[in-house]
Amino acid sequence: MSSYGVATQKALSEATDIPTNTVSNWVQRNSVPSNVILKCSVDTGADARWLVTGELAKANSSQRSRALKGKPLYDKILASGGKAVLRRILDAYGFDTQKELGDLLNISSGTISTWVRRNFFPGDVVIACALDTGVSLEWLSTGSGAMQDLPIAVKNSVLGAITLESLKLVAGKLEPQGQCIFDNRFLPKDISQDSLRYIYSGSRAWLISFDSLELSNGTWLLDIDGTLDVYSVSRRPGNRLRVSGKDGEFECSVNEVKAEGIVAVCIKKFL
């Protein structure tokens, strides 16, 4: 109620579009659903830790000035369950497998698999993950915004830093992963920064410019029959291409593949 700037349960009901009798039940049962806590934090800007535990000051004490999203936001949170929210939880913890998450939280693999199968939104786990890792609660809940909400002072302290959209290449599709900060001193001088995106897959990562769409010799993000991947391309006479990827090499005509962007910087992990 403090976060929404209201004084009564009825006013809270009107602000959240949640029935008054439902709000009353929370009081009687001494329990507020985790999804409602998530919605309140994202909707009002209130600090999630303060909402859950009462610790720390509210992140935003002037809630009335915010444009509240109400039921559309609540619906968006509930619709962000299943595989998508599980993937974000794993990324926040830096885990590759469901077993690692289960071992950390003492949750069975069967329960985690049920989230995916039933497209379930595990609100309690999302809150615990946000408090545990410090990632953005909005990103964790809905996939919107940046994974990490870095203070402006931190961003400005990095000389020549630029903010790029981050995308994960999964099964031939690009999945939004928020934003990342990159030192522009590593960029080629003739590349437009506005066209760049950070894309990664496993141990491979690239800065890709989406301005260049006319195929030439180089490394490209290609769409082949609706599936995206990064390939080395060299032109051949007769409007032919030689295309090399992680799974092999082949030749084709120029019009058999679609160029999505050219790789400006290739980043490799050395383990």
Side-chain angles (χ1 to χ4, degrees), residues 2 4 6 13 15 60 70 79 84 93 103 107 122 144 148 160-161 165 169 172 190 193 198 210 232 262 270:
S2 297
Y4 280 104
V6 298
S13 172
N60 187 344
Y93 276 116
D103 290 345
I107 299 174
S144 300
Q148 293 282 358
E165 182 182 2
L169 184 59
D190 56 346
Q193 297 178 4
Y198 174 74
F210 283 75
S232 177
I262 188 169
F270 297 94

Side-chain angles (χ1 to χ4, degrees), residues 125-166:
V125 175
V126 169
I127 291 177
C129 177
L131 299 182
D132 210 9
T133 64
V135 301
S136 163
L137 189 57
E138 180 175 7
W139 172 82
L140 197 58
S141 302
T142 67
S144 300
M147 182 177 180
Q148 293 282 358
D149 291 330
L150 294 179
I152 294 176
V154 174
K155 294 180 182 179
N156 292 340
S157 69
V158 183
L159 180 63
I162 59 172
T163 301
L164 300 178
E165 182 182 2
S166 178

Side-chain angles (χ1 to χ4, degrees), residues 157-213:
S157 69
V158 183
L159 180 63
I162 59 172
T163 301
L164 300 178
E165 182 182 2
S166 178
L167 301 160
K168 187 173 184 179
L169 184 59
V170 181
K173 304 295 181 184
L174 293 178
E175 297 182 353
Q177 300 293 315
Q179 296 176 319
C180 65
I181 294 177
F182 199 86
D183 190 334
N184 63 14
R185 290 174 294 179
F186 290 95
L187 302 179
K189 300 301 182 184
D190 56 346
I191 294 291
S192 169
Q193 297 178 4
D194 293 337
S195 70
L196 285 177
R197 304 291 184 271
Y198 174 74
I199 296 175
Y200 67 97
S201 176
S203 61
R204 305 182 300 162
W206 312 269
L207 297 185
I208 296 180
S209 170
F210 283 75
D211 267 354
S212 301
L213 298 179

